[in-house]
Amino acid sequence: MAAKPSTTTTAKATYSPIDPTRKNRPPIFSGSDVDWLRPDSRGFHQCRPAFFRTGAVNSASGSAYAEFGNTKVIVSVFGPRESKKAMMYSNIGRLNCNVSYTTFATPVRGQGSDHKDFSSMLHKALEGAIILETFPKTTVDVFALVLESGGSDLPVVISCASVALADAGIMMYDLVASVSVSCLVKNLLIDPVLEEESYQDGSLMIACMPSRYEVTQLTVTGEWSTPYFNEAMQLCLDASAKLGKIMRSCLKEAASDEQE
């Protein structure tokens, strides 16, 4: 089914897990006399404004565009189509994922390339949410292109891909929302930007189905104490639940536009 471009202009929405108006911000460095502020002046537990739009690519079965601050991503979904490995019958469908960067996506021009790790991680995050039994012996292709890398690229790609799959009419148990947290010294920064990721001591990313409260992908780097790990997990889960509502709102608006 071909997706129709949505003409609705959706205002960007924030999805902070806690009150973003909190004024007290702990210093990033212990013993420092000056409070450290995030590059975009957000609170430590405040996410960037999120924007989604479906129908970004007319030739695709489904597509979506996502913008989180300076991170801009477009995802196209093609299929289900007959699998090239049709001779190997399977009762479930196949999912192919590819994540690539434009040559101008990164600060240093020309460094954009295919990210095989991101492709496999996107596959793992989405596979558990898709009802593969609904399209046996066929394949669904998901192509994600990062137009601008502004930090937390993979979580944005995963969330955008989930909206694109829904736009393509692919049967899913639930949408997949993804959020990451960076640890700098003793501070947890949700939805980090590129500069913050370059200084992080560790990172935690969760992709989950908010309505079912199930995690489809968990990635952790660096060393984490149990209290900090638990706090970071809860921050990501709370923010993912609110992000999921924004994603659903985008799909509802697109559906209402088609009916009109």
Side-chain angles (χ1 to χ4, degrees), residues 192-215:
V193 297
L194 202 60
E195 181 181 350
E196 293 166 340
E197 288 181 328
S198 64
Y199 289 101
Q200 67 187 10
D201 300 311
S203 66
L204 183 148
M205 186 203 74
I206 282 182
C208 70
M209 295 183 281
S211 298
R212 299 167 65 95
Y213 209 69
E214 294 181 11
V215 174

Side-chain angles (χ1 to χ4, degrees), residues 102-177:
T102 61
T103 56
F104 49 83
T106 54
V108 179
R109 188 177 179 84
Q111 284 188 343
S113 61
D114 291 341
H115 286 238
K116 293 183 179 179
D117 290 343
F118 278 12
S119 298
S120 61
M121 293 169 75
L122 174 62
H123 182 277
K124 185 176 292 185
L126 296 176
E127 189 178 33
I130 298 174
I131 308 177
L132 298 173
E133 294 80 2
T134 58
F135 50 96
K137 212 175 181 180
T138 57
T139 301
V140 170
D141 297 308
V142 178
F143 297 98
L145 180 64
V146 179
L147 303 174
E148 184 175 350
S149 174
S152 301
D153 296 343
L154 184 57
V156 177
V157 166
I158 292 173
S159 302
C160 186
S162 177
V163 173
L165 284 167
D167 184 55
I170 303 301
M171 296 289 289
M172 304 171 69
Y173 295 107
D174 189 15
L175 292 173
V176 179

Side-chain angles (χ1 to χ4, degrees), residues 18-26 43-45:
I18 65 169
D19 183 7
T21 60
R22 188 184 64 170
K23 299 299 182 182
N24 297 326
R25 297 178 182 174
F44 282 12
H45 296 168

